[in-house]
Amino acid sequence: MIALFTMCLFQVACKKEDAFLAAVPNIQLAVPKSLNDLKLLLQNERIFNAIEPGYDIVAGERFSTTDAFFSGFNKESQNAYSWAGRVWSAISDVPEWRDPYQQIFYANTVLYYLPKVADGQSQNALYNQIKGTALFFRAKAYFSLMQLFTMPYKSSSAGSDLGVPLRLTSDINAKADRATQQQCYDQILNDLQESSQLLPTSTPYNTQPTIIAAYGLLARVNLSLGRFHEALDAANSFLNKFNVLTDYNTLVPGFQISTSYLAEDVFHMDAFNFYIVMLGSRKVVDPALYASYTDNDLRKSILYSVSGGRRYFSGTYEINLGTLYKGIATDELYLIRAECYARAGNTTAAMTDLNTLLIKRWKTGTFLPYTAATADDALQQILNERDKELVCRGLRWYDLRRLNIDPKFAKTLTRTNLGVTYSLPANDLRYALLIPDQEIQLTGIQQNAR
């Protein structure tokens, strides 16, 4: 029975041989009997959609908090917020590491059982959907790990720079040392490319991936690697199939952008793991960011609220899963494509995409199309709009990592609380979190530098 299989699969049984799989079991469980059993396993939203790592939003977004709120944070939240060299204690269970590897284990388990239950149905549409879904979720999990536990990607050194342990098997006794960054990103891209050939064009629930979601994630990954031609191709593939943008004139200030999974912009739904700093008015927006919105820009009222005289981010596509949104939406894909056009020197196409987005964000009848004298001018405007549009989705952390490589865009982050100023310079070693101590002790893999 699938209920028995799922219940057994989610039981916790720590294996000393593999600390990063401490949250997954020995495979002493009921064996799935059908493709439908495996499909149901992949539909577990708690595992695959509601526990995306949250450090990137805490560390990367343009907000601060008050001294009173900061004092009330637990130690780990304070450490994450202030870019401490060590965020978690030596005995902590680290969700940023545990949860993606849990997703990888489940994906690998499904891929292991899939040919065993298919019974000659390898060309069956359901078989292809299950395989594509598992590959998509595995790629997404590895991409999250790479953005948190490795240094920013440089093509010149990716063949020797450390990635993360790369596991492609459900055997929890199999050893896995740290692969190179290039090996990890090659696997991520290969998984997504294959999934884009297998997934359906639509599903009943947008917590489940589709071919369009695979194109969206491919565009995001390629952008992070500076593979702008490939990111452009993927963004085109996405937008050729889905290009709907929410008109902010239809929204009411002070409410979440969506109260259902059917928000027009949203194509694939994910939500962040919880940090207390994410709650409501604790996220005091950077005054310079807020001032960058003009009065006719509806994002100024839709995305932000006021409490106790403090402006904070309150607009999110996510409400059902109870935290902030980290999925794939159309606005991000327009911005990716616009950036790729600008970097290719196609200023006209870049500004067309940017204006297509912005006219849906401004008060009706007030928007004057942006213009750019050069491709560099267009690029700067597009990067500015990424900051203003993609607020509190964790994507700024990805942008900081990739853009800091270029001195023209490098930024030092600062926050001040209780009389102490904290900073994170561009390309600092703290852009790669420490791997959990228990993992280092039990597996002997190399720790990140400090």
Side-chain angles (χ1 to χ4, degrees):
M1 295 175 61
I2 186 63
L4 177 61
F5 170 65
T6 303
M7 181 172 64
C8 293
L9 185 57
F10 291 165
Q11 294 300 308
V12 174
C14 182
K15 289 284 288 182
K16 288 186 178 180
E17 293 86 357
D18 263 318
F20 63 76
L21 292 178
V24 299
N26 289 314
I27 309 179
Q28 297 172 349
L29 41 80
V31 175
K33 302 298 185 183
S34 69
L35 291 175
N36 194 56
D37 288 352
L38 297 179
K39 178 183 177 181
L40 289 174
L41 181 60
L42 291 170
Q43 289 178 338
N44 189 321
E45 293 179 3
R46 185 186 69 81
I47 296 298
F48 289 110
N49 304 97
I51 54 172
E52 291 301 301
Y55 178 85
D56 41 16
I57 192 170
V58 176
E61 297 295 335
R62 290 181 64 178
F63 66 80
S64 61
T65 197
T66 67
D67 287 349
F69 284 144
F70 183 77
S71 297
F73 295 165
N74 63 31
K75 185 61 176 175
E76 290 175 352
S77 292
Q78 287 184 347
N79 288 344
Y81 170 86
S82 61
W83 310 295
R86 173 180 290 276
V87 175
W88 294 275
S89 70
I91 60 173
S92 292
D93 184 22
V94 180
E96 264 65 3
W97 183 267
R98 177 200 66 213
D99 293 341
Y101 272 116
Q102 187 179 52
Q103 295 169 354
I104 290 163
F105 172 79
Y106 295 144
N108 284 338
T109 298
V110 168
L111 292 169
Y112 171 79
Y113 279 110
L114 185 57
K116 299 180 182 300
V117 305
D119 191 24
Q121 302 179 72
S122 61
Q123 299 306 312
N124 183 289
L126 180 56
Y127 179 100
N128 289 339
Q129 180 179 356
I130 292 167
K131 184 175 182 180
T133 299
L135 291 170
F136 177 92
F137 283 140
R138 185 169 72 179
K140 181 163 66 76
Y142 271 123
F143 183 61
S144 291
L145 287 164
M146 292 296 291
Q147 295 299 299
L148 294 172
F149 292 96
T150 73
M151 290 298 290
Y153 178 86
K154 296 179 181 178
S155 59
S156 60
S157 58
S160 56
D161 290 342
L162 287 175
V164 296
L166 194 59
R167 297 187 61 88
L168 305 177
T169 174
S170 60
D171 181 1
I172 61 175
N173 294 310
K175 298 293 184 181
D177 202 352
R178 294 184 70 171
T180 67
Q181 285 196 14
Q182 195 62 58
Q183 289 170 326
C184 290
Y185 282 117
D186 284 348
Q187 186 64 51
I188 291 166
L189 292 169
N190 289 339
D191 279 356
L192 288 175
Q193 289 285 3
E194 187 174 0
S195 73
S196 72
Q197 304 302 312
L198 298 169
L199 288 167
T201 56
S202 64
T203 61
Y205 308 102
N206 65 3
T207 51
Q208 290 293 292
T210 63
I211 182 175
I212 305 173
Y215 289 143
L217 190 53
L218 267 171
R220 182 186 289 178
V221 172
N222 278 307
L223 185 74
S224 75
L225 301 180
R227 292 162 47 98
F228 301 115
H229 178 75
E230 292 83 356
L232 176 61
D233 285 346
N236 272 326
S237 294
F238 182 104
L239 293 170
N240 287 341
K241 293 180 179 294
F242 185 81
N243 59 11
V244 178
L245 286 166
T246 299
D247 186 346
Y248 276 29
N249 287 278
T250 66
L251 303 179
V252 179
F255 290 86
Q256 278 92 349
I257 291 174
S258 169
T259 57
S260 76
Y261 284 157
L262 302 177
E264 291 179 296
D265 286 34
V266 170
F267 204 86
H268 181 74
M269 177 68 68
D270 285 315
F272 282 99
N273 217 334
F274 176 77
Y275 275 80
I276 192 171
V277 71
M278 294 179 182
L279 287 176
S281 59
R282 288 167 174 82
K283 305 184 299 298
V284 181
V285 63
D286 178 353
L289 174 60
Y290 186 76
S292 68
Y293 300 95
T294 68
D295 289 341
N296 289 322
D297 187 338
L298 294 172
R299 292 174 297 185
K300 194 170 187 176
S301 58
I302 294 294
L303 298 182
Y304 301 96
S305 299
V306 180
S307 176
R310 297 182 296 272
R311 298 193 180 275
Y312 65 95
F313 176 78
S314 60
T316 175
Y317 283 121
E318 173 25 49
I319 187 171
N320 290 282
L321 297 177
T323 181
L324 295 173
Y325 176 75
K326 198 184 184 180
I328 297 167
T330 319
D331 55 353
E332 179 190 355
L333 272 296
Y334 270 107
L335 288 164
I336 289 175
R337 191 168 72 174
E339 179 176 343
C340 293
Y341 278 140
R343 290 185 181 276
N346 192 341
T347 304
T348 300
M351 298 309 292
T352 296
D353 271 352
L354 183 61
N355 287 323
T356 298
L357 169 65
L358 294 182
I359 197 171
K360 297 289 189 177
R361 301 304 188 242
W362 285 52
K363 184 178 178 180
T364 299
T366 66
F367 180 68
L368 296 177
Y370 286 18
T371 61
T374 65
D376 285 343
D377 180 18
L379 177 60
Q380 186 60 66
Q381 292 186 56
I382 292 160
L383 294 178
N384 291 344
E385 290 303 323
R386 282 185 67 89
D387 256 6
K388 295 161 68 176
E389 176 71 19
L390 307 176
V391 183
C392 283
R393 299 198 211 168
L395 297 174
R396 187 168 185 261
W397 180 254
Y398 302 169
D399 283 350
L400 288 165
R401 287 169 55 88
R402 69 185 180 92
L403 295 173
N404 279 340
I405 303 297
D406 186 340
K408 296 195 304 291
F409 301 117
K411 290 181 172 64
T412 294
L413 309 183
T414 60
R415 288 169 173 162
T416 300
N417 285 95
L418 300 175
V420 179
T421 296
Y422 305 96
S423 65
L424 181 67
N427 305 309
D428 192 274
L429 291 174
R430 288 170 290 169
Y431 270 98
L433 293 169
L434 290 180
I435 293 170
D437 288 308
Q438 292 180 336
E439 181 70 27
I440 302 299
Q441 294 164 6
L442 294 175
T443 67
I445 63 174
Q446 186 174 335
Q447 179 60 280
N448 289 324
R450 277 295 176 268

